[in-house]
Amino acid sequence: MERKGKVSGVFLNRKKAIKRETFFYILCLLDVCGCTAVGYDTCATVDIVLSTAEIHSKASSPDETSIRDANIFIFSGSDFLEKTAYIQRDRYSVSLVEGRDYSIYVCANFGYPLKIASKAELEELTFHLAHPGDFSGGIPLGGSVEHTRPSGEITIPLRRLCSKISIAVDRSLLNQDVRMRISSLEIGNCPRYCKVFKPSGVEDGDGCFPVGFRRDYLECEGMNSIDSKGLSQEVSLYMLENLQGDFPGTPASDREKVLPENHPLAKVCSYVELGVEYESEYSHTAGGLLKYRFYIGNGLKDLNVERNCHYHITVTPRGSGIGENSWRVDKTSLVTRTVFKMEPEGYLEAEVGDEIHVRCTWSPEWAPFYCSDEELEEDRSRGIYEYVKDEDGKGVRLKITGYGTGMVYMSAGEPVNEAGLLYIHVKNKEEQL
């Protein structure tokens, strides 16, 4: 059926009114979103320039300065997302309203355009790594400028979401028979992700890679290049920010900065692990590596690894280089030839006024050692002798002061597990007849 007729005058008037209202509404939208065509606001062309901020010192390598792509988010008024852009350069020209207040946020080297609809969504933006060493697209960057007004040029300083950790080894305090060659260098508890515009730290072990950012063999050669003072060159690692607060308790040295295996922080705090080929007179690695581990942070109490910081760390092993606990120095792959010798040992007759020097040598030197504390004090209290321990703790000097019997007991623990005993008999005049 076909319907014919005329549109009434009332409807025509209403139609014209709707057109006027729609046109006015569009003009209002244009005014909110940017520059209008009717001259209510004056537009200015602004060049947004992206700049990589200097890495601050505290802490084939990733390119630390390149900007290969960037997502730009321009907010005006009360957090209204006015413009977005995805560019593949370090400069962007845009028309903004003069006198209007803007906040500009940028994240770079993500490799793809981001879909962000609000300020709240942007504040929760998280960068994820597929692999701990996957910085082929450049180091991820983030930065912002708050409450700025259009001018000829606005520079956005971008900060790296990563930390740079540079490690060197000082071998000057090692025993002469010790040889150490660094074969691997790795970040333990290496974060998978990082918040872009707010502080970031992994919440549990699932937020860390099973194997972190790593250097192997030839990449570690700088740490095997030693100058005349025993100091090596630096080799650098990279990781996303991981803020974990303060170390529990009050460690007095790095040796005490060790978390128990069952502590919650042990699964989330980032650390450095060195893999070392080791050889000394009595010990060597066989089919594995000696491992040195230590937490990073800026000081003994600090477990934070901050973005855009460069940490310089010098590892200084001393003596045998293996005299610490099993987490800090993992000796699982170490093969050791044990030695224990106490001199004099056994039975010894002495006279009042005699001086006796008792010494012990054992290997490996990192084995725990006991030098007769209780026995020495007991014999001194009975007037048998006075004693002074050697400065290195490996011996004791006795001065016989009275008659009777005394003893000196020395022992070395795991892996030596041996002990020695000196029995001293000081005869009185009746016994001498």
Side-chain angles (χ1 to χ4, degrees), residues 211-275:
V211 177
F213 189 100
R214 185 178 176 89
R215 304 286 196 188
D216 285 300
Y217 301 107
L218 290 177
E219 294 177 307
C220 298
E221 274 307 294
M223 300 182 75
N224 297 317
S225 178
I226 308 168
D227 67 15
S228 59
K229 297 181 179 179
L231 184 64
S232 78
Q233 298 175 9
E234 287 185 330
V235 174
S236 297
L237 302 171
Y238 297 82
M239 59 169 278
L240 296 174
E241 179 176 70
N242 189 14
L243 305 179
Q244 296 298 335
D246 287 343
F247 188 89
T250 54
S253 68
D254 280 316
R255 292 186 177 208
E256 297 178 22
K257 194 175 179 179
V258 176
L259 292 166
E261 204 172 303
N262 60 353
H263 196 287
L265 286 174
K267 297 180 179 180
V268 294
C269 291
S270 299
Y271 60 90
V272 172
E273 179 179 288
L274 281 77

Side-chain angles (χ1 to χ4, degrees), residues 112-133:
Y112 52 88
L114 297 170
K115 295 180 180 179
I116 297 293
S118 67
K119 187 77 166 289
E121 195 174 325
L122 184 69
E123 288 173 349
E124 294 301 318
L125 179 63
T126 303
F127 175 84
H128 293 266
L129 273 175
H131 181 274

Side-chain angles (χ1 to χ4, degrees), residues 46 48 50 71-85 92 94 96-97 99-107 116 118-120 122-123 143-151 154-157 197:
V46 177
I48 296 176
L50 310 182
N71 285 271
I72 301 175
F73 305 94
I74 303 175
F75 291 85
S76 65
S78 56
D79 299 337
F80 176 75
L81 183 55
E82 185 171 310
K83 294 179 184 291
T84 65
Y92 174 62
V94 62
L96 300 177
V97 177
R100 182 173 291 177
D101 195 52
Y102 287 97
S103 294
I104 305 172
Y105 294 80
V106 178
C107 45
I116 297 293
S118 67
K119 187 77 166 289
L122 184 69
E123 288 173 349
S144 64
V145 170
E146 303 276 354
H147 307 298
T148 186
R149 297 199 170 184
S151 60
I154 298 175
T155 299
I156 313 289
F197 295 110

Side-chain angles (χ1 to χ4, degrees), residues 393-414:
K394 297 180 180 181
V396 60
R397 294 181 182 274
L398 310 177
K399 184 174 179 61
I400 306 301
T401 57
Y403 301 110
T405 58
M407 63 183 294
V408 178
Y409 173 79
M410 294 180 174
S411 66
E414 186 71 32

Side-chain angles (χ1 to χ4, degrees), residues 141-433:
L141 307 164
S144 64
V145 170
E146 303 276 354
H147 307 298
T148 186
R149 297 199 170 184
S151 60
E153 184 175 284
I154 298 175
T155 299
I156 313 289
L158 301 181
R159 301 175 69 224
R160 298 159 187 83
L161 305 187
C162 287
S163 299
K164 181 178 181 180
I165 301 113
S166 295
I167 316 295
V169 178
D170 182 353
R171 294 170 170 84
S172 64
L173 299 181
L174 284 171
N175 294 340
Q176 290 187 352
D177 67 309
V178 175
R179 289 173 293 282
M180 292 174 51
R181 184 174 185 82
I182 312 302
S183 293
S184 67
L185 188 61
E186 180 184 337
I187 295 291
N189 291 343
C190 187
R192 295 176 181 268
Y193 61 83
C194 180
K195 297 289 187 182
V196 180
F197 295 110
K198 63 194 310 186
S200 184
V202 296
E203 297 178 357
D204 52 45
D206 292 337
C208 302
F209 288 104
V211 177
F213 189 100
R214 185 178 176 89
R215 304 286 196 188
D216 285 300
Y217 301 107
L218 290 177
E219 294 177 307
C220 298
E221 274 307 294
M223 300 182 75
N224 297 317
S225 178
I226 308 168
D227 67 15
S228 59
K229 297 181 179 179
L231 184 64
S232 78
Q233 298 175 9
E234 287 185 330
V235 174
S236 297
L237 302 171
Y238 297 82
M239 59 169 278
L240 296 174
E241 179 176 70
N242 189 14
L243 305 179
Q244 296 298 335
D246 287 343
F247 188 89
T250 54
S253 68
D254 280 316
R255 292 186 177 208
E256 297 178 22
K257 194 175 179 179
V258 176
L259 292 166
E261 204 172 303
N262 60 353
H263 196 287
L265 286 174
K267 297 180 179 180
V268 294
C269 291
S270 299
Y271 60 90
V272 172
E273 179 179 288
L274 281 77
V276 181
E277 297 174 16
Y278 178 91
E279 185 179 357
S280 68
E281 184 178 357
Y282 299 108
S283 304
H284 67 277
T285 48
L289 296 173
L290 185 71
K291 294 179 181 178
Y292 286 80
R293 302 187 182 105
F294 49 89
Y295 290 107
I296 310 170
N298 187 28
L300 291 176
K301 283 288 289 180
D302 191 20
L303 289 169
N304 295 318
V305 188
E306 300 179 40
R307 69 183 70 193
N308 206 58
C309 286
H310 190 177
Y311 294 83
H312 295 272
I313 299 171
T314 300
V315 181
T316 308
R318 301 167 185 269
S320 66
I322 47 181
E324 291 195 40
N325 69 52
S326 59
W327 186 86
R328 284 264 298 179
V329 183
D330 184 345
K331 299 179 277 283
T332 306
S333 297
L334 201 63
V335 177
T336 301
R337 179 168 65 89
T338 61
V339 174
F340 184 90
K341 187 175 183 180
M342 178 177 171
E343 294 181 307
E345 184 182 13
Y347 176 81
L348 178 68
E349 289 187 355
E351 296 181 0
V352 173
D354 286 352
E355 292 187 1
I356 304 169
H357 189 197
V358 188
R359 288 281 292 176
C360 186
T361 57
W362 72 96
S363 178
E365 289 188 354
W366 46 264
F369 178 68
Y370 174 76
C371 184
S372 200
D373 294 332
E374 293 181 7
E375 293 81 7
L376 293 172
E377 279 299 310
E378 182 179 345
D379 290 345
R380 177 161 64 182
S381 67
R382 293 192 298 113
I384 305 298
Y385 52 66
E386 293 293 329
Y387 74 90
V388 176
K389 282 193 175 183
D390 294 350
E391 288 186 7
D392 62 5
K394 297 180 180 181
V396 60
R397 294 181 182 274
L398 310 177
K399 184 174 179 61
I400 306 301
T401 57
Y403 301 110
T405 58
M407 63 183 294
V408 178
Y409 173 79
M410 294 180 174
S411 66
E414 186 71 32
V416 180
N417 292 328
E418 290 194 42
L421 177 67
L422 175 64
Y423 183 82
I424 303 169
H425 184 194
V426 185
K427 293 181 179 181
N428 57 32
K429 291 181 180 180
E430 293 179 358
E431 289 177 307
Q432 293 175 8
L433 294 176

Side-chain angles (χ1 to χ4, degrees), residues 44-71:
T45 299
V46 177
D47 285 333
I48 296 176
V49 180
L50 310 182
S51 169
T52 50
E54 179 184 356
I55 222 169
H56 299 291
S57 180
K58 272 203 172 174
S60 123
S61 293
D63 189 337
E64 298 177 11
T65 59
S66 68
I67 299 173
R68 303 187 184 185
D69 63 82
N71 285 271

